[in-house]
Amino acid sequence: YEFQTMMTALTGMEVSNASMYDGGSALGEALLMAVRANKTSSSGTVLIPHSVHPFYRDVVRATTTAQGVKPTLLPFCSKQGITLADSLKAYDGQDITAVVIQQPNFFGQLEDVDAITDWAHAHGAFVVAVVNPTSLALIKSPRHWGQKGADIVCGEGQPLGAPLSSGGP
């Protein structure tokens, strides 16, 4: 109860669940949820920036593609280490189910979460946030990204110091 209450406070979301073992598995489950919950999209296409942790991308590919999820990689700006909102224009008019945003991303950079979130919502896509919970003490919570906030938030429990035992972190 205390962990889930803390997570809702940090993320700004109304509900929290603590069932995943790691961030990659949590992202896979979050994308499966997005595909099932997004009633305006039938494609299963999810946009995942190259700036998302490569292990997370591997886990998503291994665990979700047999279930109708179609991960599509978004390029990133190698000079800034972020996903440029302009790169989303290539997907205008396409049926996109969800867009993943890792904040901070794999390179330690802060993404333009407001622009990406607003683009996703304008195109009927869910926003799946992947966050480091300790960073949320300093940066904007996913609930406040863009005009409507992230739809689903997941992350890794290890930064909180939970030991790798008894099913944790």
Coordinates of all heavy atoms in Angstrom, one line a residue, residues 72-116:
T72 N 7.7 0.1 -33.6 CA 8.3 0.8 -34.7 C 9.3 1.8 -34.1 O 8.9 2.6 -33.2 CB 7.2 1.6 -35.5 OG1 6.3 0.6 -36.0 CG2 7.9 2.3 -36.7
L73 N 10.5 1.8 -34.5 CA 11.5 2.6 -33.9 C 11.5 4.0 -34.5 O 11.5 4.2 -35.7 CB 12.9 2.0 -34.0 CG 13.2 0.7 -33.2 CD1 14.6 0.2 -33.5 CD2 13.0 1.0 -31.7
L74 N 11.6 5.0 -33.6 CA 11.7 6.4 -34.0 C 13.2 6.8 -33.9 O 13.9 6.4 -32.9 CB 10.9 7.3 -33.0 CG 9.4 7.4 -33.1 CD1 8.9 8.2 -31.9 CD2 9.1 8.0 -34.4
P75 N 13.7 7.6 -34.8 CA 15.0 8.0 -34.8 C 15.2 9.1 -33.7 O 14.3 9.6 -33.2 CB 15.3 8.7 -36.2 CG 13.9 9.1 -36.6 CD 13.0 8.1 -36.0
F76 N 16.5 9.3 -33.3 CA 16.8 10.3 -32.3 C 17.9 11.2 -32.9 O 18.6 10.8 -33.8 CB 17.2 9.8 -31.0 CG 18.5 9.1 -30.9 CD1 19.6 9.8 -30.5 CD2 18.7 7.8 -31.4 CE1 20.9 9.3 -30.4 CE2 20.0 7.3 -31.4 CZ 21.1 8.0 -30.9
C77 N 18.0 12.4 -32.3 CA 19.0 13.3 -32.8 C 20.3 13.0 -32.0 O 20.4 13.1 -30.8 CB 18.6 14.8 -32.4 SG 19.9 16.0 -32.7
S78 N 21.3 12.6 -32.8 CA 22.6 12.1 -32.1 C 23.3 13.2 -31.5 O 24.1 13.0 -30.6 CB 23.5 11.4 -33.2 OG 23.8 12.2 -34.2
K79 N 23.1 14.5 -31.9 CA 23.8 15.6 -31.3 C 23.2 16.0 -29.9 O 23.9 16.3 -29.0 CB 23.8 16.8 -32.2 CG 24.6 16.7 -33.4 CD 24.6 17.9 -34.3 CE 25.5 17.7 -35.5 NZ 25.7 18.9 -36.3
Q80 N 21.9 15.9 -29.8 CA 21.2 16.3 -28.6 C 20.8 15.1 -27.7 O 20.6 15.2 -26.6 CB 19.9 17.1 -28.9 CG 20.1 18.4 -29.6 CD 18.8 19.1 -30.0 OE1 17.8 18.6 -29.7 NE2 19.0 20.1 -30.7
G81 N 20.8 13.9 -28.3 CA 20.5 12.7 -27.6 C 19.0 12.6 -27.2 O 18.6 12.0 -26.2
I82 N 18.1 13.2 -28.0 CA 16.7 13.2 -27.7 C 15.9 12.8 -29.0 O 16.4 12.9 -30.1 CB 16.2 14.5 -27.2 CG1 16.4 15.6 -28.2 CG2 16.8 14.8 -25.8 CD1 15.7 16.9 -27.8
T83 N 14.6 12.5 -28.8 CA 13.7 12.3 -30.0 C 13.2 13.7 -30.4 O 12.6 14.4 -29.5 CB 12.6 11.4 -29.5 OG1 13.1 10.2 -29.1 CG2 11.6 11.2 -30.7
L84 N 13.4 14.1 -31.6 CA 12.9 15.4 -32.0 C 11.4 15.2 -32.4 O 11.0 14.3 -33.1 CB 13.6 15.8 -33.3 CG 15.1 16.1 -33.0 CD1 15.8 16.5 -34.4 CD2 15.3 17.2 -32.0
A85 N 10.6 16.1 -31.9 CA 9.1 16.1 -32.1 C 8.8 16.1 -33.6 O 7.8 15.5 -34.1 CB 8.4 17.2 -31.4
D86 N 9.7 16.8 -34.4 CA 9.5 16.8 -35.9 C 9.5 15.4 -36.5 O 9.0 15.2 -37.6 CB 10.5 17.7 -36.5 CG 10.2 19.2 -36.3 OD1 9.1 19.5 -35.9 OD2 11.1 20.0 -36.5
S87 N 10.2 14.5 -35.9 CA 10.3 13.1 -36.5 C 9.0 12.4 -36.5 O 8.8 11.5 -37.2 CB 11.4 12.3 -35.7 OG 11.0 12.0 -34.4
L88 N 8.0 12.9 -35.6 CA 6.7 12.3 -35.6 C 5.9 12.7 -36.8 O 4.9 11.9 -37.1 CB 6.0 12.7 -34.3 CG 6.7 12.2 -33.0 CD1 6.1 13.0 -31.8 CD2 6.5 10.7 -32.9
K89 N 6.2 13.7 -37.5 CA 5.4 14.2 -38.7 C 5.4 13.1 -39.7 O 4.4 13.0 -40.5 CB 6.0 15.4 -39.2 CG 5.8 16.6 -38.3 CD 6.4 17.9 -38.9 CE 6.2 19.1 -38.0 NZ 6.8 20.3 -38.5
A90 N 6.4 12.2 -39.8 CA 6.4 11.1 -40.8 C 5.2 10.1 -40.5 O 4.9 9.4 -41.4 CB 7.7 10.4 -40.7
Y91 N 4.6 10.2 -39.3 CA 3.5 9.3 -39.0 C 2.2 10.0 -39.0 O 1.2 9.3 -38.6 CB 3.8 8.6 -37.6 CG 5.1 7.9 -37.7 CD1 6.3 8.4 -37.3 CD2 5.1 6.6 -38.1 CE1 7.5 7.7 -37.3 CE2 6.3 5.8 -38.2 CZ 7.5 6.4 -37.8 OH 8.6 5.7 -37.9
D92 N 2.1 11.2 -39.4 CA 0.8 11.9 -39.6 C -0.1 11.1 -40.5 O 0.3 10.6 -41.5 CB 1.0 13.3 -40.1 CG 1.5 14.3 -39.1 OD1 1.6 14.0 -37.9 OD2 1.9 15.4 -39.5
G93 N -1.3 10.9 -40.1 CA -2.3 10.2 -40.9 C -2.3 8.7 -40.7 O -3.1 8.0 -41.3
Q94 N -1.3 8.2 -40.0 CA -1.2 6.7 -39.8 C -1.9 6.3 -38.5 O -2.1 7.1 -37.6 CB 0.2 6.3 -39.7 CG 1.0 6.5 -41.1 CD 2.4 5.9 -41.0 OE1 2.6 4.9 -40.4 NE2 3.3 6.5 -41.7
D95 N -2.3 5.1 -38.4 CA -3.0 4.5 -37.3 C -2.0 4.1 -36.3 O -1.4 3.1 -36.4 CB -3.9 3.3 -37.7 CG -4.7 2.8 -36.5 OD1 -4.7 3.4 -35.4 OD2 -5.3 1.7 -36.7
I96 N -1.7 5.0 -35.3 CA -0.7 4.7 -34.2 C -1.5 4.4 -32.9 O -2.3 5.2 -32.5 CB 0.2 5.9 -34.0 CG1 0.9 6.3 -35.4 CG2 1.3 5.6 -33.0 CD1 1.8 5.2 -36.0
T97 N -1.2 3.3 -32.3 CA -1.8 2.9 -31.0 C -1.2 3.6 -29.8 O -2.0 4.1 -28.9 CB -1.8 1.4 -30.8 OG1 -2.4 0.8 -32.0 CG2 -2.5 1.0 -29.6
A98 N 0.1 3.7 -29.8 CA 0.8 4.3 -28.6 C 2.1 4.8 -29.0 O 2.7 4.4 -29.9 CB 0.9 3.2 -27.5
V99 N 2.6 5.8 -28.2 CA 3.9 6.4 -28.3 C 4.6 6.2 -26.9 O 4.0 6.6 -25.9 CB 3.8 7.9 -28.7 CG1 5.2 8.4 -28.8 CG2 3.1 8.0 -30.0
V100 N 5.8 5.7 -26.9 CA 6.6 5.5 -25.7 C 7.5 6.8 -25.5 O 8.1 7.2 -26.5 CB 7.4 4.3 -25.8 CG1 8.3 4.1 -24.5 CG2 6.5 3.0 -25.9
I101 N 7.5 7.2 -24.3 CA 8.5 8.3 -24.0 C 9.2 7.9 -22.7 O 8.6 7.7 -21.7 CB 7.8 9.7 -23.7 CG1 6.9 10.0 -24.8 CG2 8.8 10.7 -23.4 CD1 6.0 11.2 -24.5
Q102 N 10.5 7.8 -22.8 CA 11.3 7.5 -21.6 C 11.9 8.8 -21.1 O 12.5 9.6 -21.8 CB 12.5 6.5 -21.9 CG 13.2 6.1 -20.6 CD 14.2 5.0 -20.8 OE1 14.6 4.7 -22.0 NE2 14.6 4.4 -19.7
Q103 N 11.7 9.1 -19.8 CA 12.1 10.4 -19.2 C 12.7 10.1 -17.8 O 12.1 9.7 -16.9 CB 10.9 11.3 -19.1 CG 11.2 12.6 -18.6 CD 11.7 13.6 -19.7 OE1 12.4 13.1 -20.6 NE2 11.5 14.8 -19.5
P104 N 14.0 10.5 -17.6 CA 15.0 10.8 -18.6 C 15.3 9.6 -19.5 O 15.0 8.4 -19.1 CB 16.2 11.2 -17.8 CG 16.0 10.6 -16.4 CD 14.6 10.5 -16.3
N105 N 15.8 9.8 -20.7 CA 15.9 8.7 -21.6 C 17.2 8.0 -21.4 O 17.9 8.3 -20.4 CB 15.9 9.2 -23.1 CG 17.0 10.1 -23.5 OD1 18.1 10.1 -22.9 ND2 16.8 11.0 -24.5
F106 N 17.5 7.0 -22.2 CA 18.7 6.1 -22.0 C 20.0 6.9 -21.9 O 21.0 6.6 -21.3 CB 18.8 5.1 -23.1 CG 20.0 4.2 -23.1 CD1 20.1 3.3 -22.0 CD2 21.0 4.3 -24.0 CE1 21.2 2.4 -22.0 CE2 22.1 3.4 -24.0 CZ 22.2 2.5 -22.9
F107 N 20.1 8.1 -22.6 CA 21.3 8.9 -22.6 C 21.3 9.9 -21.5 O 22.2 10.7 -21.4 CB 21.3 9.6 -24.0 CG 21.3 8.7 -25.2 CD1 20.2 8.7 -26.0 CD2 22.3 7.8 -25.4 CE1 20.1 7.9 -27.1 CE2 22.2 6.9 -26.5 CZ 21.1 7.0 -27.3
G108 N 20.3 9.9 -20.6 CA 20.3 10.8 -19.5 C 19.7 12.2 -19.9 O 19.7 13.1 -19.1
Q109 N 19.2 12.3 -21.1 CA 18.6 13.6 -21.6 C 17.1 13.7 -21.3 O 16.4 12.6 -21.2 CB 18.9 13.7 -23.1 CG 20.3 13.7 -23.4 CD 21.1 14.9 -22.9 OE1 20.6 16.0 -22.8 NE2 22.3 14.6 -22.4
L110 N 16.6 14.9 -21.2 CA 15.2 15.1 -21.0 C 14.5 15.3 -22.3 O 14.9 16.2 -23.1 CB 14.9 16.3 -20.1 CG 15.5 16.2 -18.7 CD1 15.2 17.4 -17.9 CD2 14.9 14.9 -18.0
E111 N 13.5 14.5 -22.6 CA 12.8 14.6 -23.9 C 11.8 15.7 -23.8 O 11.4 16.2 -22.7 CB 12.0 13.3 -24.1 CG 12.8 12.0 -24.2 CD 13.5 11.9 -25.6 OE1 13.2 12.7 -26.5 OE2 14.2 10.9 -25.8
D112 N 11.3 16.2 -25.0 CA 10.3 17.2 -25.0 C 9.0 16.5 -24.9 O 8.2 16.3 -25.8 CB 10.4 17.9 -26.4 CG 9.4 19.1 -26.5 OD1 8.6 19.3 -25.5 OD2 9.5 19.8 -27.5
V113 N 8.7 16.2 -23.6 CA 7.5 15.4 -23.3 C 6.2 16.1 -23.7 O 5.2 15.4 -24.1 CB 7.5 14.9 -21.8 CG1 8.6 14.0 -21.5 CG2 7.5 16.1 -20.9
D114 N 6.2 17.4 -23.5 CA 4.9 18.1 -23.9 C 4.6 18.0 -25.3 O 3.4 17.7 -25.7 CB 5.0 19.6 -23.4 CG 5.2 19.7 -21.9 OD1 4.6 18.9 -21.2 OD2 5.8 20.7 -21.5
A115 N 5.5 18.2 -26.2 CA 5.3 18.2 -27.7 C 5.0 16.8 -28.1 O 4.0 16.6 -28.9 CB 6.5 18.7 -28.4
I116 N 5.7 15.8 -27.6 CA 5.4 14.4 -28.0 C 4.1 13.9 -27.5 O 3.3 13.3 -28.2 CB 6.6 13.5 -27.6 CG1 7.9 13.9 -28.2 CG2 6.3 12.0 -27.9 CD1 9.1 13.2 -27.7

